[in-house]
Amino acid sequence: MALADIIAEQRPARPGTPDALADLRVTFGDRLVTGEDVRRAHSHVTTYIPSQLPDAVLFAESEAEIQDLVRICAKHGMPIVPFGTGSSLEGHVNAPFGGVSVDLSRMDRVLSVNPGDLDCTVETGVTREALNSHLRDTGLFFPIDPGANASLGGMAATRASGTNAVRYGTMRDNVIGLTAIMADGTLVRTARRAKKTAAGYDLTRLLVGSEGTLGIITRLNLKLYGIPETILSGVCAFPDVTNAVNAVMQTVQIGVPVARIELLDALSIRATNTHAGMTLPETPHLFVEFHGSPASVEEQAELFAAIVEDNGGGSFQSASKAEERSRLWKARHDFYWASMSLRPGAKAIATDVCVPVSRLADCIDETRADAEAVGLLAPIVGHVGDGNFHVTLLIDTAVPAEIDKAEAFMARLAERALDMDGTCTGEHGVGQGKRGYLSRELGPAVDVMRAIKTALDPQNILNPGKIFTSQ
């Protein structure tokens, strides 16, 4: 989606906004905030898309309050933009048509943990780190790890993924059911706690990944897993990206149950060394992790080491102590910030695609060649076990020509992934930034999505301007 189109789309507040704000003030008092600093903080996006401020921010504390908010906004046709922690990457929390940003961070209770059923129920504002801290003494954990300490409601809304997805799946696979407030204020529970059901439409999967455009998620029933008896992490170097990706593909194809397998190219390693104080050789690396019993982890590591050797990789440098593993994965998770050391003063623009694993090496090689040909500094990292990789463009957003170059590159990247029967977004979501590629990827299915949106939100008040262009 071209930046100029996103900027042009921003419109004045809807006619009912003043009356809606007055009604909201009566209902919520000082928790409805209209100061510019707070409004700006709730439109922050970690991208080059400029902030588009809401007219007000409401700090909600219960489902009943959200129902009151939605009913008032529906009465006046005022937009509502759900806000978790603001860590999304495609402009999801922007308010191109004004309205109210509903901050859900105060809805942060873990409501129940059911060890015998391996599940829990949480409010939408609980973060993944807070949940795992709460679970620490139960022997259980929640594995979805997008890097940022995102809220679980936001992770569900954007169908988040992360480093553990190759073994544990994405948020789509780990939400058993949820509760949401629909556009008319109705409270809907999509499923009970049973592990499987054949009762009606799968509304859980409809709302997971809907980016706040169909309903406001208020609580989640999530799968939990036993903390592995043994965890072994490690890192190994490769002479080039192609050999590293081939090692990944072979690891997946022979069924090694690797928990994490992450690629960092040579530029990424340079940035990581600088930021994290590491001394890895500046060549492509795989960061990996194995979970299981001592015997199974040893077997997995031996199989992987043999695959690495067959593909020209170096020795597997293992880390079994918790502090060593934490340092390794912190370095990987901090890559967004580390990348900025490659071009001080530039902004890091992250984008992602996902392709079938068999096409991964081709897609990465062509992407690297493209970046070099047009003179873009573009380190690559990725959750490559499932064919997903990220490109971080380092550009000066004050220079229009650099934005144009970056947008053209990202468009080619998306087209390249689609030509390989992949997707324009493996885990960042559509938001504002990827809307322009959706029809190319899904064709008439987009019309079906629009019909669902219109049926469930006829006034288009739930996060308008995301996923689809304006209706």
Side-chain angles (χ1 to χ4, degrees), residues 19-314:
D19 291 338
L21 289 174
D23 285 355
L24 291 169
R25 179 71 71 192
V26 169
T27 303
F28 297 106
D30 291 342
R31 281 191 292 121
L32 185 76
V33 181
T34 56
E36 182 175 343
D37 288 346
V38 174
R39 292 188 294 123
R40 186 168 297 281
H42 285 75
S43 64
H44 171 73
V45 288
T46 46
T47 177
Y48 67 100
I49 300 171
S51 291
Q52 297 169 322
L53 279 60
D55 296 294
V57 176
L58 173 66
F59 292 86
E61 297 180 353
S62 69
E63 290 175 333
E65 288 188 346
I66 298 175
Q67 287 183 285
D68 288 341
L69 165 71
V70 171
R71 287 168 181 151
I72 292 170
C73 289
K75 175 183 174 182
H76 298 286
M78 187 179 192
I80 305 167
V81 182
F83 184 96
T85 65
S87 58
S88 57
L89 293 167
E90 292 293 350
H92 295 91
V93 298
N94 258 348
F97 311 111
V100 177
S101 172
V102 54
D103 187 313
L104 303 164
S105 61
R106 297 184 184 180
M107 296 178 63
D108 60 354
R109 295 179 299 160
V110 177
L111 300 172
S112 67
V113 176
N114 308 292
D117 296 316
L118 293 176
D119 74 22
C120 68
T121 302
V122 301
E123 289 186 319
T124 187
V126 175
T127 66
R128 65 172 187 87
E129 289 183 4
L131 176 58
N132 279 321
S133 178
H134 184 91
L135 295 170
R136 187 164 42 219
D137 296 332
T138 68
L140 303 173
F141 81 117
F142 182 70
I144 308 305
D145 179 6
N149 187 26
S151 69
L152 292 162
M155 288 168 60
T158 55
R159 201 183 303 150
S161 183
T163 59
N164 280 321
V166 65
R167 177 158 183 166
Y168 297 100
T170 71
M171 285 299 287
R172 179 190 65 184
D173 308 299
N174 287 281
V175 179
I176 299 168
L178 59 83
T179 301
I181 311 295
M182 309 308 285
D184 62 355
T186 302
L187 181 70
V188 171
R189 184 181 179 188
T190 62
R192 302 284 182 148
R193 284 180 50 233
K195 285 295 188 283
K196 58 191 262 188
T197 177
Y201 296 143
D202 191 346
L203 297 182
T204 303
R205 301 299 174 272
L206 179 62
L207 287 167
V208 171
S210 64
E211 302 183 13
T213 63
L214 300 180
I216 301 172
I217 295 172
T218 57
R219 65 176 68 188
L220 299 147
N221 180 223
L222 303 170
K223 294 181 183 178
L224 300 177
Y225 298 80
I227 295 174
E229 181 182 1
T230 300
I231 301 175
L232 178 68
S233 298
V235 60
C236 51
F238 287 83
D240 54 49
V241 166
T242 299
N243 279 356
V245 172
N246 285 339
V248 171
M249 187 164 56
Q250 291 173 27
T251 300
V252 172
Q253 287 173 341
I254 69 170
V256 178
V258 62
R260 307 185 190 192
I261 186 162
E262 298 286 300
L263 170 72
L264 286 80
D265 73 356
L267 271 177
S268 302
I269 292 295
R270 183 190 307 171
T272 298
N273 282 342
T274 300
H275 185 76
M278 303 180 80
T279 57
L280 298 171
E282 291 185 8
T283 63
H285 280 66
L286 292 179
F287 287 25
V288 298
E289 187 166 279
F290 306 103
H291 294 175
S293 67
S296 68
V297 164
E298 182 179 359
E299 181 182 11
Q300 293 170 45
E302 288 176 356
L303 279 170
F304 179 72
I307 292 170
V308 169
E309 183 178 1
D310 288 345
N311 285 279

Side-chain angles (χ1 to χ4, degrees), residues 238-247 249 263-266 284 311 353 355-374 376 378-381 384 387-391 409 412-413 416-417 420:
F238 287 83
D240 54 49
V241 166
T242 299
N243 279 356
V245 172
N246 285 339
M249 187 164 56
L263 170 72
L264 286 80
D265 73 356
N311 285 279
V353 296
V355 296
V357 175
S358 62
R359 299 305 310 275
L360 183 60
D362 293 337
C363 196
I364 291 179
D365 281 343
E366 291 179 23
T367 300
R368 289 174 61 246
D370 188 357
E372 291 170 4
V374 298
L376 280 170
I380 293 174
V381 299
V384 286
N388 183 205
F389 69 94
H390 306 254
V391 184
F409 172 86
R412 291 192 299 273
L413 174 60
R416 184 177 304 119
M420 296 181 181

